[in-house]
Amino acid sequence: MFSLTHLNTFGLKADASHFFALANEQQLPELLSLVQQYPHYFILGGGSNVVLSSHIEALIIHNQLKGIRLLQEEESFFLVEAAAGEVWHEFVRYCLEQGWNGLENLAYIPGTVGASPVQNIGAYGKEMKNYFHSLTAINVYTGEQKEFSLAECHFAYRDSVFKHEAKDYLILRVRFAFPKNWKPSLNYADLKNFGGLSEHSSAMDIFNAVVQIRQQKLPDPKVWGNAGSFFKNPIVSSANYQTLLQQFPALVAYPQENGEYKLAAGWLIDQCGWKGRALGAAGVHDRQALVLVNRGGAMAEDILTLAKAIQHDVQERYGVLIEPEPIFVK
Ligand code: FAD
Ligand code: EPU
């Protein structure tokens, strides 16, 4: 048995029947033959967006591939490649230190570079797809290596092809294009209200501000195990939004490019009175109702019981289904 308790930021007690540490691409033939031998596999990066059950009868592929390199410098952009096992936040910092600006709003997101395209990570007004160029992945059943372009990844809010048709691809390397005509992006409310940031701020100033904001709002997984936002912000039609707004004038929502509205799930949960509440070992963070926390010794079932109770209350009051963001692993 391989303990996964220290490999998931929720700190859920979990183990797996089989485990493979992928530290370099030369190990891929060995890995592919192992995948054939077991009924299931699961690719694990930093474990910051998963809910692990106590025993997982599968081959866990732990991505530890490292390396960052500048592939090309063009007149208008830098093309940079990072191996999938690089730590996201360290990669962001490294890029800024080289003058490759763009990812500063996405600072301090836990996890790996290889997982960043899976849900197209986003924060503070930016998404990974804004700087994505292409990636290389391998189909773990057929061994086929494929380059995915931006268009082929089908990026959307917390979504990509890697959650659907391409879910049997292990992402090996991701390439980013950083334009040289960089400008600060400060439209997100928390950044506007931060104070001291302006169009003259450097990318490193924004990076530091984002780190501070996140440290204030989000629980440190080392203290309170968590997986960040537990639910995605639900997207509703304009008609649905207008009806809700009449009934709940303080409703927090963001208009989308296609005319739909993204509702702030944290607000919905907060209004249902869940902020700071707990059910056994699972609780709702007292500063951000969208974040569920492990209060000590929680198992996947504790988190799921709490999540279902919250989902039920939000559905009953607002008629809106909020869907979990983390991936459940059995
Ligand atoms: P894991 O949790 O290990 O895996 C997540 C999924 O990706 C799984 O399905 C896994 O199989 C798949 N996967 C991982 N690596 C690969 C690979 N190489 N190839 C193919 N599939 C792979 N997310 C945001 O978008 N924005 C935020 O602001 C944000 N804030 C967070 C704050 C906190 C405190 C925490 C704990 C989480 C937060 N998250 C946020 C969620 C999480 O950090 C991201 O989803 C992150 O990209 C997950 O990376 P990981 O390496 O930990 O992936
Ligand atoms: N709100 C409340 N009560 C709460 C929490 C939030 O009323 O308890 C309100 C806030 O006042 C604000 C609105 O809801 O008006 C949105 O809150 P916030 O700015 O904190 O962002 P969020 O929608 O809760 C999203 C992402 C985060 C990302 C932040 C910053 C999702 C599911 N979550 O959170 O991503 O860091 O915006 O951009 O889209 C993650 O995916 O794991 C994650 C942490």
Side-chain angles (χ1 to χ4, degrees):
M1 287 307 155
F2 295 81
S3 173
L4 303 176
T5 305
H6 299 290
L7 295 178
N8 75 98
T9 60
F10 243 130
L12 302 176
K13 201 165 168 292
D15 60 39
S17 55
H18 302 92
F19 187 88
F20 187 87
L22 180 67
N24 61 66
E25 292 191 18
Q26 288 74 51
Q27 294 170 288
L28 285 173
E30 187 189 349
L31 172 63
L32 295 185
S33 87
L34 281 175
V35 169
Q36 304 288 344
Q37 292 169 36
Y38 302 114
H40 305 289
Y41 74 88
F42 184 77
I43 303 164
L44 188 67
S48 63
N49 214 21
V50 288
V51 178
L52 304 181
S53 49
S54 54
H55 176 69
I56 301 167
E57 193 62 34
L59 174 67
I60 302 293
I61 305 168
H62 191 219
N63 195 322
Q64 302 178 2
L65 299 171
K66 298 282 185 212
I68 303 173
R69 58 193 180 131
L70 175 66
L71 290 181
Q72 233 171 292
E73 178 175 352
E74 295 291 331
E75 208 179 309
S76 61
F77 67 93
F78 299 102
L79 183 65
V80 177
E81 180 178 77
E86 286 289 339
V87 173
W88 176 262
H89 176 67
E90 298 307 327
F91 170 63
V92 174
R93 188 207 309 270
Y94 178 83
C95 289
L96 300 187
E97 283 168 357
Q98 312 310 309
W100 309 331
N101 296 339
L103 297 177
E104 56 285 344
N105 295 48
L106 303 177
Y108 217 59
I109 297 181
T112 54
V113 166
S116 67
V118 176
Q119 73 159 10
N120 174 31
I121 57 171
Y124 299 94
K126 283 207 178 165
E127 287 184 333
M128 190 236 41
K129 73 169 186 192
N130 301 135
Y131 296 92
F132 178 89
H133 177 274
S134 58
L135 63 77
T136 305
I138 186 165
N139 183 307
V140 294
Y141 286 125
T142 65
E144 173 221 7
Q145 283 211 26
K146 180 171 158 55
E147 312 276 303
F148 287 80
S149 67
L150 177 64
E152 285 170 315
C153 289
H154 301 170
F155 288 126
Y157 167 64
R158 298 296 188 268
D159 202 18
S160 77
V161 72
F162 302 102
K163 285 189 171 183
H164 306 282
E165 304 93 280
K167 62 179 163 31
D168 286 327
Y169 281 87
L170 164 66
I171 297 167
L172 299 171
R173 282 169 266 129
V174 186
R175 288 171 290 280
F176 299 86
F178 300 117
K180 290 186 177 173
N181 68 346
W182 171 86
K183 284 194 191 66
S185 167
L186 300 171
N187 289 330
Y188 202 85
D190 286 346
L191 287 174
K192 271 192 196 149
N193 303 335
F194 184 76
L197 292 176
S198 75
E199 68 206 67
H200 304 297
S201 298
S202 69
M204 201 53 105
D205 292 338
I206 298 171
F207 172 93
N208 289 325
V210 169
V211 170
Q212 268 192 52
I213 294 167
R214 294 182 66 101
Q215 283 175 338
Q216 279 161 21
K217 276 177 80 160
L218 295 165
D220 178 354
K222 291 196 195 83
V223 182
W224 295 104
N226 74 90
S229 299
F230 194 85
F231 297 100
K232 290 186 272 191
N233 287 327
I235 296 175
V236 300
S237 69
S238 172
N240 194 346
Y241 165 70
Q242 298 301 341
T243 312
L244 280 169
L245 191 62
Q246 279 182 1
Q247 220 183 330
F248 306 100
L251 184 72
V252 181
Y254 311 94
Q256 303 297 289
E257 277 166 14
N258 63 359
E260 295 181 319
Y261 283 81
K262 190 194 272 178
L263 308 182
W267 186 87
L268 301 173
I269 297 167
D270 196 350
Q271 295 296 307
C272 288
W274 274 107
K275 194 144 130 183
R277 270 177 68 190
L279 277 185
V284 180
H285 187 48
D286 55 9
R287 270 170 286 155
Q288 229 298 2
L290 200 46
V291 179
L292 303 193
V293 295
N294 177 353
R295 301 173 70 232
M299 311 281 276
E301 293 74 28
D302 299 307
I303 305 293
L304 294 185
T305 304
L306 175 61
K308 281 201 181 120
I310 294 171
Q311 237 174 0
H312 170 271
D313 284 4
V314 169
Q315 175 89 55
E316 198 157 83
R317 189 172 165 133
Y318 297 99
V320 173
L321 174 69
I322 50 171
E323 293 179 88
E325 179 184 292
I327 310 295
F328 295 82
V329 192
K330 283 200 195 131

